[in-house]
Amino acid sequence: MKLIFVSGGVISGLGKGITASSIGRLLESRGLKVSAIKIDPYLNIDAGTMNPFEHGEVYVLDDGGEVDLDLGNYERFMDLHLTRDHNITTGKVYRSVIENERHGDYLGKTVQIIPHITNEIKRRITNVARESGADVVIVELGGTVGDMESMPFLEAARQLGRELGREENVMFIHTTLIPIMGSVGEEKTKPTQHSVKELMSIGIRPDIIVGRCSEPLSESAISKIAMFCDVPEDAVISTPDARSIYEVPLNLEKQGVADYIIDKMKLGPLTTPRDMAQWEDLVSRIVNPKKEVRIALVGKYTALADSYLSHLEAFTHAGAASECKVRIKFIDSDDLTTGDPNEILGDVHGILVPGGFGIRGVEGKIVAAGYARENGIPFLGVCLGFQIATIEFCRNVLGLEKASSTEFDPRTPDPVICIMDEQKGIVDMGATMRLGAQDVFVKEGSMAAELYGSTQISERHRHRYEVNPDYIDRIEAAGWKFTGRSECGTRMEIGELEGHPYYVASQFHPEFKSKPTRPSPLHQGLVDAAIAYMEGRN
Ligand code: GLN
């Protein structure tokens, strides 16, 4: 079993997840099988109950796990299919230990952080590593070294290093910030030195230091870090500002970090030659677009772009395929209830209404959906966006003025969106939605079938409400066609508006399975329709 721990120091938000994902990508490009684990030191069992404003989007896995968005980066960069066990939280660890205690597994003993919590952490990491069958597993430690909550995880990592064997089986990569100060542009290594000292005081000596700096590190900064942090100079790597996150693996490759790891961990000799050609092509398409479209993202968490991370990535993937830069115009949906939609949406070539919960911002999203429908603007609605498109259609085409979802208006006379039968009576909020990969049957000849190139697909879900089956016939007769359904046939999954160039919505979340070289078909459809719309108008 070979593990690479990636920790962070100085400040959070250094792109530790991107560094971990990029290193994984590079090891994969040598033919190694790589997997990844994210450790989140918070007490929540999973990310499902957290507000996207605090931690960014809740990412959903095939198995229905509601996890940290870094798992999205791992799946995108390394083309993995992860399970909820790949996200370890303090909540999960403590819950197991307390359940074991109640069960009597530790009879007679005082249950303590060391060894009981740390053993549980080690058990979870090694189980996932073993089950993944990977040659090497990257374990990203959330938070920053020195945080009280990360302590048990760092201690468990230290012990794993001791038990499995340092360097050959367990490596530590520490990512830090190297600020550039003053008019002379001097790189400051002191914060890194302090952070490494802190790590060493826990008993972990890092093998590789990754310095996040706006510029590539100078030779003198590299030798200073190497000397004070006690690592060889070729183990000091820098991650300068990149034009796209997908460029980071290429920047790391130039510095030889993968070869360094392969050598230290004795992962060779490798039989397959390194293959990064497809990735290089991807990056060159992203950074050299031939055209640009503007797509409005109408939501309520628009103050934090990470709330919609997978959508933004899906647009990057779709844009790359069409050699087009997709510029996102974030629109707070509330603005559409007070402002003039022409002024707010008049300059965009496409509109996305993403998922969401609760009543706030709903009316503005309905305005956006109506504006796209009436003006022939390419539109994609996802999850709540699908329900919004359906409500807008019922209100303004079917004339059901008060049509709504029982989520926002329990007493609406026309509950065109209602709670799913199996959700009735559920009281607990954690992990109780309809979650994860479900099959969707797509109507032959529909736009969705053409975009997916298939009539049976599997996409990820996260919802409690659905289109009310009592209204389906009336809605379809008026032109909002449900071209995708779940296996039972009564759960609506995709809607397509007749006679509109691109007005599509899905109950599922296509953004979660979008990959750099296999974009989400529905995002691709929106981007291509936006290009056509722009070119037709210009
Ligand atoms: N709130 C809606 C539901 O629960 C939509 C959920 C979502 O957009 N993820 O069905």
Side-chain angles (χ1 to χ4, degrees), residues 82-111:
L82 299 173
T83 65
R84 52 161 59 85
D85 291 339
H86 289 251
N87 196 183
I88 302 175
T89 66
T90 298
K92 283 183 186 169
V93 171
Y94 272 72
R95 182 162 76 174
S96 301
V97 170
I98 291 170
E99 276 169 10
N100 291 346
E101 187 275 332
R102 291 290 81 185
H103 188 242
D105 293 356
Y106 316 114
L107 269 191
K109 293 270 188 307
T110 308
V111 183

Side-chain angles (χ1 to χ4, degrees), residues 245-316:
I245 53 167
Y246 297 103
E247 201 178 25
V248 176
L250 304 182
N251 291 346
L252 291 175
E253 177 67 5
K254 283 188 211 133
Q255 300 173 73
V257 63
D259 290 328
Y260 188 85
I261 292 171
I262 288 164
D263 180 47
K264 290 284 172 209
M265 297 192 101
K266 302 203 169 60
L267 286 159
L270 301 174
T271 44
T272 29
R274 181 176 64 214
D275 182 11
M276 287 295 281
Q278 212 186 8
W279 199 269
E280 280 160 7
D281 177 54
L282 167 80
V283 173
S284 106
R285 284 164 169 274
I286 293 173
V287 301
N288 304 306
K290 299 215 164 72
K291 42 193 170 271
E292 179 173 320
V293 290
R294 225 174 355 265
I295 289 183
L297 189 160
V298 182
K300 69 170 176 180
Y301 312 115
T302 46
L304 180 69
D306 267 359
S307 305
Y308 299 109
L309 184 66
S310 291
H311 280 295
L312 304 185
E313 296 310 318
F315 282 128
T316 301

